[in-house]
Amino acid sequence: MSDDSGIIHRIEPGSKVDLRAIDPRRTPGLSGSKEEERADAERLHGENIAAMRSLQYRLWAEQKQSLLVVLQGMDTSGKDGTIRHVFGPLNPQGVRTRGFKKPTPEELRHDFLWRVHKHTPEAGRIVVFNRSHYEDVLAVRVLGLIPEERWRQRYDHINDFETLLHESGTRVVKIMLHISKDEQKERLQARLDEPDKRWKFERGDLETRKLWDDYWAAYEEAIERCNAEHAPWHVVPADRKWYRNWVVSSIVRSALESMDPRTPPPAPDLDGLVIE
Amino acid sequence: MSDDSGIIHRIEPGSKVDLRAIDPRRTPGLSGSKEEERADAERLHGENIAAMRSLQYRLWAEQKQSLLVVLQGMDTSGKDGTIRHVFGPLNPQGVRTRGFKKPTPEELRHDFLWRVHKHTPEAGRIVVFNRSHYEDVLAVRVLGLIPEERWRQRYDHINDFETLLHESGTRVVKIMLHISKDEQKERLQARLDEPDKRWKFERGDLETRKLWDDYWAAYEEAIERCNAEHAPWHVVPADRKWYRNWVVSSIVRSALESMDPRTPPPAPDLDGLVIE
């Protein structure tokens, strides 16, 4: 077992969430100079990856359970980088990622979980959502796209949906990459200033940035209302990318360990079989 | 409005269901000789179809609501014939049917609603399920395919799912075609005896017939546990096909009428526009 349970930044179900009280630059679980901390985080992250590879192999062989990782966070919070560093090293045959952007006209003509449900993982598989059904109580709320009574109903719908997944063998793990407004400023500026990052810059991100406080309020309520023992939220300090990577790999490793996937026992009727 | 509300055979939510107490040969709402009853039922069914066509047109133009009709029933209960007679006359562009048979290996590796959710209707559309997610608490239960505690969880999952659909603009209407064991005997025998019906005969139907009482018990509990005001069950006496057709078209017409779809108002900025 990993001993990272203290640093996975899980929000206790039923508790309030105050994002202002969670410093996105903190690195609890590490000590020493920043260089020492970084070296430790990278080493520990590497150990997590090795453990996750072995767990993924067993999950695939077992063919009974699956894992859904929901990644959320403000623009530039590092969702893409997290996927590259945490899930990139796994066997791609057993991992799928799925991004959810603005719904298509076809998707809007269905309930909000219709497009999401299609992409949940089957037995043996890990799926990572880059944004998710939570945007339907985040962006949709902040931008006022539907009346309040309608997005409020969605907390129950999400809880019901995640309960269905859980009771069907899918572990649901939800992660908010938590960056500071200052850190976002630097990252957006870098996208403007560095020619090979310019393609990532979107003008719309500046509009979203103006709504920072509204988004945080929406995140806080969504996390509070949709945080179950069987589908917990984690708020990961993400200003430092090396810390974020280590924490997320620790969360995923810990989830896989608690699922305890097992390679099926050898079939006894194959004992002594000789390939001629 | 249609005045068929007395003959749609809706089961009051919260009430017990005793299939033995519902005679599949009865034809309430009609009177006279059987020939007279049949002629009346066919005429009234025709009136329903005309009304449904007009309602379907408005549903399609409105693009806000949708209708899901769940058809269940024992083998030979007439699901295919009902679809042909009730939905066949509608504009096929606005109607889709979807059958659910034994799940594929891929489907079995997901939660039981995964394959179903994909096929729910988008705004403007009518979808008919020929069998449905209810098989996951009917056949699955009777055949003992999964442990009781697992299929029992599914009542809640189904209720949550149908609530999601309802609150997203999809009207859910559920219909059990209720035939007698004697009538099934005749219909199965006809499949054996008439060369052009032989293709419909499946040996497995005889095994299912042996489990008749178990299926009825499973139906009774499923209907009781998953019968909401917003997603009601109807148990339709179905030994007489002409009666069944009239009742089902009455149910669908009544559902569409209560949805009250409206053609969007003419855009005022097009007033006076002349096509040159």
Side-chain angles (χ1 to χ4, degrees):
Chain A
M1 290 290 285
S2 113
D3 58 351
D4 299 336
S5 53
I7 60 97
I8 65 170
H9 297 276
R10 181 166 167 274
I11 305 294
E12 194 61 34
S15 67
K16 299 287 286 180
V17 181
D18 179 0
L19 290 176
R20 269 163 220 78
I22 303 172
D23 181 354
R25 296 194 82 74
R26 281 190 66 224
T27 55
L30 300 173
S31 59
S33 69
K34 274 296 159 237
E35 284 62 40
E36 287 167 340
E37 286 198 343
R38 180 176 180 144
D40 279 349
E42 289 176 349
R43 178 178 51 76
L44 292 164
H45 174 65
E47 290 176 14
N48 283 343
I49 296 296
M52 286 164 62
R53 280 188 173 137
S54 151
L55 287 156
Q56 183 197 17
Y57 179 82
R58 279 145 55 193
L59 188 76
W60 180 262
E62 183 194 54
Q63 292 289 327
K64 284 192 181 165
Q65 306 175 81
S66 59
L67 175 64
L68 173 61
V69 179
V70 170
L71 266 190
Q72 285 284 158
M74 304 290 282
D75 297 324
T76 76
S77 61
K79 297 182 289 298
D80 295 337
T82 299
I83 290 172
R84 207 165 56 245
H85 284 94
V86 177
F87 300 96
L90 300 183
N91 183 337
Q93 193 163 227
V95 180
R96 238 180 5 243
T97 67
R98 178 74 197 180
F100 293 96
K101 297 192 185 282
K102 195 168 163 241
T104 65
E106 186 196 12
E107 289 167 349
L108 282 174
R109 294 166 75 206
H110 287 275
D111 69 85
F112 76 108
L113 293 172
W114 179 79
R115 66 173 184 158
V116 172
H117 203 167
K118 286 186 199 179
H119 296 289
T120 53
E122 69 277 27
R125 186 86 63 165
I126 298 171
V127 165
V128 185
F129 281 176
N130 183 343
R131 303 190 188 272
S132 67
H133 45 297
Y134 281 93
E135 290 298 333
D136 296 292
V137 290
L138 296 170
V140 164
R141 165 186 176 156
V142 170
L143 302 176
L145 301 183
I146 60 174
E148 175 166 355
E149 65 266 26
R150 286 206 46 224
W151 57 254
R152 285 214 168 270
Q153 293 174 329
R154 293 181 170 178
Y155 296 130
D156 284 345
H157 296 156
I158 290 174
N159 286 328
D160 293 340
F161 174 59
E162 294 179 356
T163 300
L164 165 70
L165 295 179
H166 170 72
E167 294 186 347
S168 308
T170 300
R171 177 68 57 107
V172 182
V173 168
K174 300 172 291 193
I175 297 169
M176 180 196 182
L177 301 180
H178 178 50
I179 58 163
S180 63
K181 205 171 171 184
D182 286 346
E183 179 69 17
Q184 189 191 57
K185 183 181 175 182
E186 280 183 32
R187 294 187 186 181
L188 284 174
Q189 194 67 52
R191 288 183 180 180
L192 276 176
D193 297 347
E194 297 172 33
D196 67 332
K197 284 191 180 172
R198 181 69 69 88
W199 66 274
K200 285 176 140 187
F201 186 82
E202 293 185 44
R203 250 172 226 286
D205 293 351
L206 299 181
E207 294 308 308
T208 305
R209 181 170 167 80
K210 287 182 193 155
L211 300 167
W212 189 275
D213 291 345
D214 294 341
Y215 271 99
W216 271 23
Y219 265 104
E220 286 170 347
E221 188 167 2
I223 292 170
E224 285 167 15
R225 295 286 309 271
C226 302
N227 192 23
E229 286 291 345
H230 62 262
W233 268 105
H234 306 76
V235 176
V236 175
D239 273 10
R240 298 179 194 275
K241 295 172 182 173
W242 43 266
Y243 184 72
R244 171 203 79 197
N245 291 341
W246 173 49
V247 173
V248 174
S249 63
S250 300
I251 292 167
V252 175
R253 174 185 180 176
S254 165
L256 286 167
E257 281 175 343
S258 71
M259 291 163 73
D260 193 20
R262 289 160 190 253
T263 308
D269 61 333
L270 299 182
D271 278 356
L273 190 67
V274 176
I275 312 296
E276 313 250 2
Chain B
M1 289 293 284
S2 111
D3 58 351
D4 298 336
S5 52
I7 60 97
I8 65 172
H9 297 275
R10 181 167 167 276
I11 304 295
E12 195 62 36
S15 66
K16 298 288 285 180
V17 181
D18 179 0
L19 291 176
R20 266 163 221 80
I22 304 173
D23 181 355
R25 295 193 82 74
R26 282 190 66 224
T27 55
L30 300 174
S31 59
S33 69
K34 274 297 158 240
E35 284 62 39
E36 287 166 339
E37 286 198 345
R38 180 177 180 144
D40 280 348
E42 288 175 349
R43 177 179 52 75
L44 292 164
H45 174 65
E47 290 175 16
N48 284 343
I49 295 297
M52 285 165 62
R53 281 190 173 133
S54 152
L55 287 156
Q56 182 197 18
Y57 179 82
R58 280 145 57 192
L59 187 77
W60 180 262
E62 183 194 56
Q63 291 288 326
K64 283 191 181 165
Q65 305 176 80
S66 59
L67 175 64
L68 174 61
V69 179
V70 171
L71 267 190
Q72 286 283 160
M74 303 291 281
D75 297 324
T76 76
S77 61
K79 297 181 289 297
D80 295 337
T82 299
I83 290 173
R84 205 165 57 244
H85 284 94
V86 177
F87 300 96
L90 299 183
N91 183 337
Q93 192 163 227
V95 180
R96 242 185 355 248
T97 66
R98 177 75 200 179
F100 293 95
K101 296 192 185 280
K102 194 166 164 246
T104 65
E106 186 196 12
E107 289 167 349
L108 282 174
R109 294 167 74 206
H110 287 276
D111 68 87
F112 76 108
L113 293 172
W114 179 80
R115 67 173 184 158
V116 172
H117 202 167
K118 285 187 198 177
H119 297 290
T120 54
E122 69 278 27
R125 186 85 62 165
I126 298 170
V127 166
V128 185
F129 282 175
N130 184 343
R131 302 191 188 270
S132 67
H133 44 297
Y134 281 93
E135 291 297 334
D136 296 292
V137 289
L138 294 171
V140 164
R141 165 186 175 155
V142 171
L143 302 176
L145 300 182
I146 59 175
E148 174 166 355
E149 66 266 25
R150 286 208 45 224
W151 58 254
R152 286 217 165 267
Q153 293 175 328
R154 293 181 170 178
Y155 296 130
D156 284 344
H157 296 156
I158 290 173
N159 286 328
D160 294 339
F161 174 59
E162 293 179 357
T163 299
L164 165 70
L165 296 179
H166 170 73
E167 294 186 348
S168 308
T170 300
R171 177 69 56 108
V172 182
V173 168
K174 299 172 293 193
I175 297 169
M176 180 197 182
L177 302 181
H178 178 51
I179 57 164
S180 62
K181 205 171 172 185
D182 286 346
E183 179 70 18
Q184 189 191 58
K185 183 182 176 184
E186 281 182 32
R187 294 187 185 181
L188 285 174
Q189 194 67 53
R191 287 184 180 179
L192 275 176
D193 296 346
E194 298 171 33
D196 66 333
K197 284 190 180 170
R198 180 72 67 89
W199 66 274
K200 284 177 143 188
F201 185 81
E202 294 186 43
R203 251 172 226 284
D205 294 352
L206 299 182
E207 295 307 309
T208 305
R209 181 170 166 80
K210 288 184 194 154
L211 300 167
W212 189 273
D213 292 344
D214 293 340
Y215 271 100
W216 271 23
Y219 265 103
E220 286 170 345
E221 186 167 3
I223 292 171
E224 286 167 13
R225 294 286 309 270
C226 301
N227 192 23
E229 286 291 345
H230 61 263
W233 268 105
H234 307 75
V235 176
V236 175
D239 273 9
R240 297 178 193 275
K241 295 173 183 173
W242 43 266
Y243 184 72
R244 170 203 79 197
N245 291 341
W246 172 49
V247 172
V248 173
S249 64
S250 300
I251 293 168
V252 175
R253 174 185 180 175
S254 166
L256 286 167
E257 282 175 342
S258 72
M259 291 163 74
D260 193 21
R262 288 159 191 254
T263 309
D269 61 333
L270 299 182
D271 277 356
L273 190 67
V274 176
I275 312 296
E276 313 250 4

